[in-house]
Amino acid sequence: MKRLIRTGISLEDKEIVMEDIFNGIEPQVYKSQISVPYQWWAGETASKFFITLRDEKKILGTECPQCGKVFCPPKKTCPFCYVDTKNWKEVGPKGKVITYTVVYRKLAALKKNVPVAYGLIQLAGSDNAMLHYIEGIEPEKISIGMEVEAVFSDEKNASIHAISHFRPVK
Amino acid sequence: MEAAIIGVGMTTIEKNKVGETYADLAWEAVNKALHDAGIGIDDIDNVITTSSDFWDGRTISCMAVGDASGVRYKNCSAVEGDGTFGAAYALARTLSGDYKTTLVTAHSKGSESISSIITNAAFDPIYERSLGMDMISACAMQAQAYMHATGTTSEQLALVSCKNHKNAKDNPYAQLPMDITVNDVLSSEMIADPLHKLDCSPVSDGCCAIIIANADFVKKVKAKPVWIKGVAFCSDAYFMGDRDLSKAKALEEAAKKAYSMAGITNPQKEINVAELYDAFTYQELMWLEGLGLAEYGKAGTLLEKGIFDRDGKLPVNPSGGLLSGHPVIAAGLYRIAEVVLQLRGEAGGRQVNAKRGVAHGVNGLCGQSHCVWVLDKEK
Amino acid sequence: MAKRRVAIVGTGQTHHKSHRPDVSGRELIYEAVTRALEDADLSIKNIDAIIIGNMDHFEGINYVDCWSIDGSGGYHKPVIKLTTGGTTGSTLAIGGYHFVASGMFDKVLIIGWEKNSESDTTGAITTAFDPVWDRLVFAGAISGLAVEAQSYMAKYGATDRDGARVSVRDRKHACNNPYAQLRKEVTLEEVLASPMLADPIHLLDVCPRTDGACAVIMASEDYAEKITSTPDWIWATANRHKYTYLGDVNWGELDSMAEASRDLFKKCGITEPRKQIDVIEMYQPYSFAGIIWIEDMGIVPRGKGAEYIWSGATDMGGELPINPSGGVIACNPIGATGLIRCAEAALQVMGKAEARQVPDVNFAVSTGFGGCMWTDMLLHGKKKPNL
């Protein structure tokens, strides 16, 4: 019953210490990276949202025919009822901060200079919240429940960056 | 449920195991688990490895540890996610009747990658990813929501860190045993408001292995079995904006199911020890409440009263938890192994008095998906 | 044998294509799942747990089990991710079987998917190999398959014409499958004249890159017979994932298939697979495997694979039709591919395979292939297995 994996290294009652036989060997480290180019198909639902955002500076959500929830960012399907959403609804551009954080250490995924404030923003007329930046306010003054509005980007950009950020409603 | 854990093996958790490959770590953990169970690899009839292609920087990451986990002549499979989920599949295979003993491994070497970039890849590429968030900043938003909803304070969060790092001093496997004060935590670097550096778990390397056996096999070995009484997992909605981040609804459901399997009606009285997925300080409190081990919003106050200390009424993370060592994919399996040691009375300096314990693991951002294990000394 | 009987009660697939820009990955998954639910006449509320899988670096999404919830229907349900490379789809099926057999869940939804159009498939596959030893000197999947074919040809004297014959078969079969991506007959000469990718593999010998998803619903005996009058019973599963390094493979013979099939057939009392099995859906990513792996499976003796293929025995209407769906050469959304084999085998047993139906199927085998020459297998039957 006590035989170990097929090399037959005996464990007995002491722990295996591989280092014993590798004393004095300097561990080598190989550096590399996985760099695979990606192109994500946004699909028809997100495409319509981004194109409308870019061309008309309007924020659209989709409505679930069953529970009536309006989603922004829009979804093709309602995760709660598991049916196709049906109607497009214009939402925002005002909304409120559901929660937020201010990032002070520039971590590797972040391309902006810190501090960067993120918020989950529930847009007026929407039942869920959208992740985005909060700017135009000192970070310490951001609070949950605060009213904000979308600031559209000047760049012609059919992506989430067609909204530059959210700022406090004056 | 007629299955038990008959062996556990852990490598030490370290910042950078530069001298060892994934396979070396698995080899060590597997051999320790076999030794612990008093059996050989030929007594194992199937294997589940748990790994992540992203964290390992390798497509088909399970390939790296197959040989070291003894899969070559056996049926096997591979789970991606936390080790508690790997163990859940291993349990299913054991209970299916097709197999008598399932070996489970889970490994991670955070030192080999950059966690901010790896966790940024968990964000939706179409709506969110380019905003540059990662696990820490997302969890900071959750901490903010939780504190706002419950009135939990930064001082209470800091106390979790003090407790767990102190507990780690008696855990020979832990990476960060230390004595720190609330003030040390609060004056450590603010990474993402409200999370200070000492509110966050470290980057770690480690591998854990456990052996699950059916009741017939348990009779044949000398090992001290720890019985699996309830296991359940549950996922919440994906987008953070679709969830109430201040509550752990999916955990509540998983816990409810696991307790019902185990015949537990009052977890606060019937659970004697908990090893939870405290990747950040606030999570220990939130998960305690999600698990029904504290009233919603009250975990911080109970913590201040010492309830969750090692000599308290319900010791939580007596091992030091993830805050004292966080090999991502393996972290939940370490929690199971720690509870097993506690219930067998073999936890050394970190031993508490316990008959029944709960172990817990998490997948995804801000605790989207949870796995709960109820373990018992007795069948 | 298992403690509870397990059956497939519904399947759903997308119409597989090279590019699906009209949907995101999540939306693609939703299509397959809703079709499977419709097939079984169930709603998502009836599903107890979800098992999902793909290969991370094809879409670059970490924690796919979490990310896919809107599409999978996993909101407030147990969701788990299994992944084993090319074998992922069959691994998922084997996982579904165990979760139901164990008694942990009664009705499990299994989802395999891939959007291979979203990345560089070969670039992503290359990262499967050991970063210190193999990755620096080896690329993609085709080179490994070419090594296998060359080794086999050297041992048994097969030719590239033999390989081409398999490709002609599968591409012809695919014309009967409305879900297949490539539905066009080819001739032997066209295969041999197509560009050489890695000697002896021509372009028309190998699988394409595909966007697609497949969903399968498994249920315990109690539920299965209420859901459908023609459940596809899973008799047993077996697999071998033997190798970690390329140099360890016994090239020219697929040992993992030989061992897994021995294990599988032993569990079910199959002693003469060629006679007892009525149809095989084989994860056969390139033509030569169609010759080699039936030998490993014990269908024909070593070195006799080509002769058996040329006899027409594996064509529709033959003794043992292989890949009535057209198989992987006609369609390969990698994380779904193994599960599509399982779903297609289920359709054959359930008598729902329409134009690609093989008559009177009592036993079907589905397989998965991947990793470093790994094999997964399931045996499907019309009658209930013994417990």
Side-chain angles (χ1 to χ4, degrees):
Chain A
M1 286 288 254
K2 215 144 186 210
R3 208 165 66 74
L4 291 164
I5 297 183
R6 287 166 202 280
T7 66
I9 284 182
S10 166
L11 195 66
E12 297 309 321
D13 284 307
K14 84 184 206 355
E15 313 234 307
I16 330 171
V17 187
M18 299 270 270
E19 295 89 86
D20 289 353
I21 45 173
F22 294 119
N23 264 340
I25 305 277
E26 182 196 346
Q28 300 294 299
V29 175
Y30 292 87
K31 290 196 175 168
S32 183
Q33 63 177 338
I34 292 188
S35 60
V36 178
Y38 291 103
Q39 47 175 4
W40 291 290
W41 306 114
E44 288 163 350
T45 307
S47 295
K48 181 177 164 94
F49 170 76
F50 288 133
I51 290 167
T52 314
L53 201 55
R54 177 192 65 188
D55 296 346
E56 300 173 40
K57 300 207 187 309
K58 276 185 189 166
I59 307 174
L60 296 182
T62 52
E63 186 182 42
C64 171
Q66 211 153 302
C67 65
K69 283 197 172 90
V70 174
F71 300 111
C72 185
K75 298 169 185 294
K76 186 177 184 176
T77 62
C78 170
F80 308 110
C81 307
Y82 206 62
V83 295
D84 287 291
T85 55
K86 286 273 189 270
N87 301 318
W88 286 95
K89 294 259 170 166
E90 192 178 341
V91 298
K94 287 186 183 166
K96 64 176 180 189
V97 175
I98 298 295
T99 186
Y100 70 96
T101 183
V102 183
V103 178
Y104 290 98
R105 190 198 279 191
K106 189 167 155 55
L107 294 160
L110 190 55
K111 303 290 174 247
K112 288 162 79 93
N113 289 327
V114 289
V116 170
Y118 289 98
L120 280 175
I121 316 293
Q122 183 177 1
L123 292 161
S126 160
D127 291 283
N128 66 336
M130 165 193 276
L131 180 67
H132 222 298
Y133 304 120
I134 301 172
E135 290 174 14
I137 177 174
E138 285 165 55
E140 308 82 57
K141 292 189 177 157
I142 301 172
S143 63
I144 289 177
M146 189 174 88
E147 269 209 277
V148 290
E149 63 189 353
V151 177
F152 294 95
S153 166
D154 293 331
E155 287 168 51
K156 282 280 178 194
N157 192 342
S159 77
I160 200 67
H161 299 285
I163 296 174
S164 159
H165 58 271
F166 283 81
R167 70 174 174 219
V169 175
K170 299 241 166 74
Chain B
M1 242 182 326
E2 298 274 286
I5 297 169
I6 59 166
V8 299
M10 297 180 263
T11 69
T12 53
I13 302 174
E14 292 171 47
K15 182 181 180 185
N16 189 354
K17 284 177 173 283
V18 72
E20 288 156 310
T21 63
Y22 296 119
D24 297 340
L25 298 185
W27 174 258
E28 180 184 338
V30 166
N31 280 288
K32 282 177 170 171
L34 290 170
H35 182 63
D36 185 44
I39 61 174
I41 193 70
D42 293 344
D43 296 308
I44 299 291
D45 60 9
N46 83 116
V47 178
I48 300 294
T49 60
T50 323
S51 58
S52 156
D53 291 6
F54 266 91
W55 285 103
D56 288 2
R58 181 167 182 172
T59 290
I60 326 183
S61 50
C62 57
M63 253 165 85
V65 294
D67 283 351
S69 307
V71 306
R72 188 165 278 225
Y73 302 97
K74 302 182 196 331
N75 283 283
C76 63
S77 192
V79 172
E80 186 167 85
D82 181 66
T84 49
F85 289 79
Y89 182 29
L91 175 65
R93 287 170 75 101
T94 310
L95 292 175
S96 74
D98 280 9
Y99 304 106
K100 61 187 192 316
T101 46
T102 311
L103 169 69
V104 193
T105 70
H107 69 267
S108 221
K109 287 186 87 176
S111 66
E112 292 192 351
S113 63
I114 298 170
S115 68
S116 176
I117 294 173
I118 304 280
T119 57
N120 174 253
F123 286 82
D124 185 68
I126 293 164
Y127 285 131
E128 295 175 334
R129 193 181 297 180
S130 62
L131 296 169
M133 261 205 154
D134 59 16
M135 184 68 85
I136 296 183
S137 39
C139 287
M141 283 202 321
Q142 183 172 41
Q144 197 76 259
Y146 171 73
M147 291 165 77
H148 181 79
T150 60
T152 303
T153 64
S154 290
E155 286 74 16
Q156 289 169 329
L157 262 51
L159 263 181
V160 174
S161 189
C162 300
K163 168 177 75 71
N164 290 359
H165 286 296
K166 182 172 167 228
N167 284 348
K169 289 170 69 185
D170 293 308
N171 180 359
Y173 301 102
Q175 178 184 338
L176 287 179
M178 52 186 180
D179 279 313
I180 50 170
T181 64
V182 167
N183 196 40
D184 290 336
V185 180
L186 296 180
S187 56
S188 66
E189 177 193 353
M190 181 67 90
I191 294 182
D193 189 16
L195 299 178
H196 300 83
K197 187 179 176 190
L198 287 173
D199 284 305
C200 305
S201 53
V203 169
S204 310
D205 294 354
C207 181
C208 181
I210 69 167
I211 298 164
I212 297 177
N214 68 16
D216 286 343
F217 189 84
V218 172
K219 284 181 207 147
K220 292 182 199 153
V221 287
K222 279 186 228 145
K224 272 197 226 168
V226 164
W227 294 92
I228 301 164
K229 307 297 279 187
V231 174
F233 49 104
C234 185
S235 177
D236 210 325
Y238 167 67
F239 285 97
M240 291 179 294
D242 290 354
R243 293 157 55 186
D244 177 350
L245 278 187
S246 70
K247 293 195 174 77
K249 285 283 181 199
L251 176 57
E252 286 172 25
E253 285 194 33
K256 207 191 296 171
K257 189 168 166 201
Y259 294 148
S260 132
M261 290 164 94
I264 289 174
T265 50
N266 185 344
Q268 293 186 25
K269 283 201 173 136
E270 294 174 75
I271 300 289
N272 316 120
V273 62
E275 282 282 343
L276 310 182
Y277 203 94
D278 56 328
F280 302 94
T281 48
Y282 81 92
Q283 291 191 341
E284 181 168 300
L285 305 175
M286 258 191 97
W287 305 159
L288 273 169
E289 294 162 6
L291 282 161
L293 298 173
E295 299 280 316
Y296 182 62
K298 297 283 191 286
T301 317
L302 294 173
L303 174 79
E304 286 171 330
K305 290 182 183 158
I307 304 285
F308 307 130
D309 290 350
R310 215 145 66 196
D311 55 1
K313 213 173 108 212
L314 174 60
V316 176
N317 286 328
S319 68
L322 272 62
L323 288 167
S324 306
H326 183 185
V328 181
I329 296 298
L333 205 60
Y334 270 93
R335 308 276 72 69
I336 292 178
E338 281 291 339
V339 172
V340 166
L341 293 180
Q342 289 289 352
L343 299 184
R344 293 199 326 213
E346 294 171 6
R350 60 197 187 285
Q351 183 66 48
V352 301
N353 183 17
K355 177 193 169 304
R356 197 186 276 129
V358 63
H360 161 244
V362 165
N363 269 344
L365 296 165
C366 300
Q368 185 190 337
S369 185
H370 296 262
C371 187
V372 178
W373 283 65
V374 180
L375 301 171
D376 201 309
K377 224 162 147 172
E378 282 154 35
K379 199 169 171 180
Chain C
M1 294 300 278
K3 289 180 177 165
R4 303 211 297 177
R5 294 189 179 96
V6 180
I8 292 176
V9 296
T11 68
Q13 296 180 46
T14 56
H15 287 96
H16 311 300
K17 292 194 163 65
S18 66
H19 296 71
R20 282 293 307 272
D22 56 320
V23 286
S24 69
R26 262 193 303 270
E27 295 162 358
L28 185 78
I29 291 166
Y30 178 77
E31 278 181 23
V33 173
T34 46
R35 282 182 189 157
L37 289 169
E38 215 169 282
D39 186 42
D41 196 18
L42 294 172
S43 100
I44 195 73
K45 289 195 183 75
N46 301 123
I47 299 297
D48 303 320
I50 292 171
I51 304 173
I52 190 164
N54 70 316
M55 286 171 71
D56 288 1
H57 292 128
F58 286 144
E59 292 82 12
I61 294 161
N62 197 0
Y63 296 104
V64 151
D65 48 329
C66 293
W67 162 88
S68 57
I69 293 295
D70 287 10
S72 69
Y75 173 69
H76 275 219
K77 286 191 196 302
V79 185
I80 187 167
K81 181 172 186 216
L82 310 186
T83 181
T84 57
T87 38
T88 292
S90 44
T91 291
L92 294 166
I94 292 172
Y97 161 83
H98 284 113
F99 272 112
V100 176
S102 68
M104 286 167 80
F105 304 113
D106 293 326
K107 285 154 286 166
V108 171
L109 170 64
I110 303 148
I111 306 165
W113 72 283
E114 211 78 76
K115 282 198 98 185
N116 281 113
S117 69
E118 293 193 345
S119 72
D120 168 3
T121 305
T122 288
I125 288 183
T126 301
T127 73
F129 298 98
D130 186 276
V132 176
W133 298 102
D134 290 341
R135 201 181 293 178
L136 303 173
V137 291
F138 191 86
I142 295 173
S143 40
L145 299 175
V147 171
E148 180 187 50
Q150 288 291 5
S151 306
Y152 178 84
M153 287 161 78
K155 266 188 195 164
Y156 298 107
T159 66
D160 51 358
R161 267 185 92 75
D162 297 336
R165 175 63 179 80
V166 177
S167 187
V168 167
R169 176 196 74 197
D170 282 4
R171 291 176 191 278
K172 185 174 181 202
H173 289 180
C175 297
N176 294 327
N177 179 3
Y179 298 100
Q181 175 190 344
L182 302 176
R183 286 181 290 152
K184 185 170 176 286
E185 277 197 59
V186 296
T187 63
L188 279 172
E189 288 64 36
E190 283 170 334
V191 178
L192 295 172
S194 65
M196 183 68 85
L197 300 180
D199 193 13
I201 301 175
H202 293 87
L203 179 67
L204 289 176
D205 282 310
V206 287
C207 53
R209 304 189 328 160
T210 311
D211 287 359
C214 178
V216 166
I217 299 170
M218 288 191 191
S220 61
E221 187 174 2
D222 295 352
Y223 290 92
E225 290 178 307
K226 284 179 197 146
I227 295 169
T228 172
S229 56
T230 57
D232 164 42
W233 299 100
I234 306 296
W235 277 55
T237 72
N239 81 321
R240 290 295 183 275
H241 292 182
K242 292 177 69 71
Y243 301 111
T244 299
Y245 295 96
L246 288 159
D248 296 345
V249 175
N250 174 24
W251 293 101
E253 293 176 15
L254 189 58
D255 289 352
S256 62
M257 171 73 91
E259 284 180 35
S261 50
R262 268 202 301 274
D263 185 1
L264 183 80
F265 296 152
K266 191 175 159 211
K267 284 172 178 168
C268 315
I270 298 273
T271 49
E272 290 181 283
R274 182 165 157 184
K275 288 189 181 148
Q276 288 170 278
I277 295 164
D278 304 301
V279 60
I280 299 173
E281 272 290 338
M282 185 155 78
Y283 191 128
Q284 175 210 294
Y286 79 121
S287 60
F288 292 85
I291 299 168
I292 307 169
W293 299 353
I294 54 173
E295 298 175 10
D296 295 296
M297 211 190 282
I299 304 292
V300 292
R302 290 255 172 244
K304 300 290 181 197
E307 191 183 317
Y308 191 61
I309 298 289
W310 281 105
S311 79
T314 65
D315 297 342
M316 289 302 273
E319 180 188 40
L320 174 51
I322 296 179
N323 296 335
S325 67
V328 185
I329 285 183
C331 174
N332 189 24
I334 298 179
T337 302
L339 191 61
I340 296 172
R341 306 281 73 72
C342 171
E344 287 287 339
L347 291 175
Q348 292 291 347
V349 170
M350 297 167 97
K352 287 159 71 167
E354 299 177 342
R356 57 196 187 284
Q357 181 70 47
V358 173
D360 304 320
V361 174
N362 284 311
F363 281 118
V365 166
S366 63
T367 82
F369 169 81
C372 217
M373 313 304 280
W374 295 349
T375 300
D376 287 357
M377 298 180 80
L378 292 94
L379 186 80
H380 308 243
K382 186 171 271 176
K383 292 199 199 99
K384 281 187 202 177
N386 301 318
L387 285 187

